[in-house]
Amino acid sequence: MHTVLEPAHLRNVLGNYPTGVSVITATAPDGQALAMVVGTFTSVSLEPPLIAFLPQKSSSSFADLRACDRFVVNVLAHDQEDVVRRLSRSDRTKMDAESWHPSPSGAPILDGVVAAIECDFHDVIEAGDHYIALGNVRSLRTVRPTNPLLFFRGGYGEFAAKSIVVPDGRGLSEAVGRAQALRADLEDGARRLGGELTVFARIVSDSVAVASATGAGSETVTALGVRYPVVPPIGALYVAWSPESEQEAWSGKAVGASPEQRAAYHRHLADIRECGWAASFVPDDEGDEGLLPDEITRRMATSAFVLDVRDIEPDRRYRLTGLMAPVFLHGGRAPELMIRQLLYPAVEVTGEVVLQRGAALKAFAEQASARLSTAAAA
């Protein structure tokens, strides 16, 4: 007997624990350089010196690596997120475009990594839907003494001392001040529009909740200070009006996304620019009853599906869970703030009602923009 857990719930809770990001490399018997991105590398034993990583059983990259006698664990540096994106593909020749040099045995060591650990395969153990691949360490060295790349709450970043909620505090106090200037409007809007209204601010590469208010019959769900990494599908409202290069960089952070998925992200950005707001919905086969507050906000950010406003059918029924609209501070430049209306539990309404509610939140956000602009000019 064992407890049955929802995989999404398990992933969300364990996502609160940061992991390092490494690339396992090896040279195949035919001479091809191989690579696989992992977030499960760990030290196991000092005597004998053993390390481990945990690949999925379905991984074709690991199937190729397993045929090799020796491999290298490349500990990625904080500025090598682009390496992750390139090497997350299942293409066997993906290392052909990378810069690397051979280890003492000839296995690839990626240029610019923090450390390289060369190992022999010691054992491969089955563990559920993964393997535990044990490596016997043969040699290791620090290549570049710098901060490693971390994966945390669905996004990539680096360690910053004494900073948990926001990795870089620049702009946070200013954002909080602006949000407080909207306090009365926020409370009035929550009463009129319903649900929970939260102001989010873009602080470096995160979207951070800086103010919140709830209407009658609604409960506070979003904790102030909660942050989400600005990676697809999160943060579309911040980048929709940005230069194309920034939009490309944002969609490029969708690790493992297909060209079709990335094209859909760009269509969504165009839809936001045209309509001025966005909505998210709960799929028909999912419920939100009984979820804890942090699970609700995480689901809305990462799990609820997003539908372009132009595709909403007035007569169709939808399970609406949230609406978002941008707040512009500098005459049309990319917004630094956005207002989110969270509806918990999700409400089942027609597409016509969704469009009406979206227009109402857009108008509220425009009033907030005007108030902040007037305050800045005073």
Side-chain angles (χ1 to χ4, degrees):
M1 296 290 291
H2 62 87
T3 302
V4 177
L5 297 174
E6 288 291 333
H9 177 57
L10 182 66
R11 187 183 303 113
N12 287 340
V13 173
L14 296 184
N16 289 291
Y17 180 74
T19 59
V21 186
S22 302
V23 174
I24 310 300
T25 56
T27 302
D30 63 3
Q32 177 64 52
L34 305 173
M36 179 179 65
V37 177
V38 299
T40 55
F41 166 66
T42 183
S43 173
V44 175
S45 169
L46 296 179
E47 291 292 339
L50 297 176
I51 58 87
F53 63 95
L54 283 66
Q56 286 186 324
K57 286 184 176 179
S58 60
S59 170
S60 60
S61 295
F62 181 67
D64 288 332
L65 285 166
R66 198 173 181 180
C68 306
D69 294 327
R70 184 163 291 190
F71 63 89
V72 172
V73 178
N74 297 264
V75 179
L76 294 187
H78 64 91
D79 54 1
Q80 291 187 300
E81 184 181 336
D82 57 334
V83 176
V84 177
R85 294 199 299 271
R86 292 194 298 269
L87 294 182
S88 292
R89 299 178 290 114
S90 59
D91 181 5
R92 192 171 185 270
T93 63
K94 57 192 173 185
M95 277 287 284
D96 291 355
E98 297 301 319
S99 298
W100 57 272
H101 56 279
S103 70
S105 69
I109 297 177
L110 292 166
D111 291 347
V113 298
V114 174
I117 304 155
E118 189 169 21
C119 308
D120 294 334
F121 273 108
H122 178 76
D123 198 1
V124 177
I125 304 168
E126 291 193 17
D129 55 7
H130 281 62
Y131 292 116
I132 301 174
L134 290 166
N136 192 356
V137 178
R138 296 302 184 186
S139 66
L140 70 167
R141 66 186 178 95
T142 299
V143 178
R144 180 161 64 114
T146 187
N147 287 343
L149 182 65
L150 299 180
F151 186 78
F152 180 57
R153 291 181 175 175
Y156 294 97
E158 65 176 300
F159 172 78
K162 297 182 179 179
S163 179
I164 298 176
V165 174
V166 184
D168 188 327
R170 289 174 294 174
L172 180 58
S173 60
E174 184 178 8
V176 171
R178 286 169 173 162
Q180 290 305 314
L182 296 173
R183 170 56 59 186
D185 301 80
L186 205 61
E187 293 175 350
D188 178 65
R191 285 192 295 269
R192 290 188 293 105
L193 302 176
E196 176 194 79
L197 289 187
T198 303
V199 177
F200 283 84
R202 182 172 185 176
I203 308 297
V204 190
S205 59
D206 293 290
S207 182
V208 184
V210 293
S212 184
T214 57
S218 299
E219 58 182 292
T220 299
V221 173
T222 306
L224 297 186
V226 67
R227 70 181 181 91
Y228 300 106
V230 180
V231 296
I234 305 169
L237 273 78
Y238 295 122
V239 300
W241 287 269
S242 299
E244 286 189 15
S245 59
E246 293 185 27
Q247 295 179 34
E248 288 290 344
W250 174 76
S251 65
K253 292 181 179 180
V255 177
S258 66
E260 292 77 14
Q261 288 173 316
R262 289 181 179 169
Y265 287 139
H266 284 276
R267 288 195 299 271
H268 185 55
L269 295 178
D271 184 74
I272 290 173
R273 286 193 300 274
E274 178 179 328
C275 301
W277 59 279
S280 61
F281 308 88
V282 178
D284 291 337
D285 58 351
E286 292 186 12
D288 53 4
E289 294 79 7
L291 293 179
L292 297 175
D294 63 330
E295 295 170 328
I296 297 164
T297 52
R298 187 180 300 280
R299 169 177 285 193
M300 182 174 177
T302 61
S303 300
F305 72 87
V306 177
L307 183 68
D308 289 344
V309 172
R310 290 172 292 185
D311 293 334
I312 295 175
E313 303 172 24
D315 296 331
R316 178 183 167 184
R317 299 194 70 81
Y318 298 89
R319 295 179 65 203
L320 179 66
T321 188
L323 300 158
M324 295 140 284
V327 176
F328 292 94
L329 304 178
H330 301 288
R333 284 169 45 188
E336 299 172 31
L337 303 176
M338 75 166 185
I339 296 176
R340 185 189 72 181
Q341 181 184 12
L342 176 65
L343 302 170
Y344 171 72
V347 295
E348 184 173 335
V349 295
T350 63
E352 182 178 4
V353 172
V354 175
L355 295 173
Q356 292 171 351
R357 290 195 173 198
L361 186 66
K362 177 184 176 182
F364 178 80
E366 290 173 344
Q367 293 172 0
S369 298
R371 181 176 293 280
L372 292 176
S373 297
T374 300

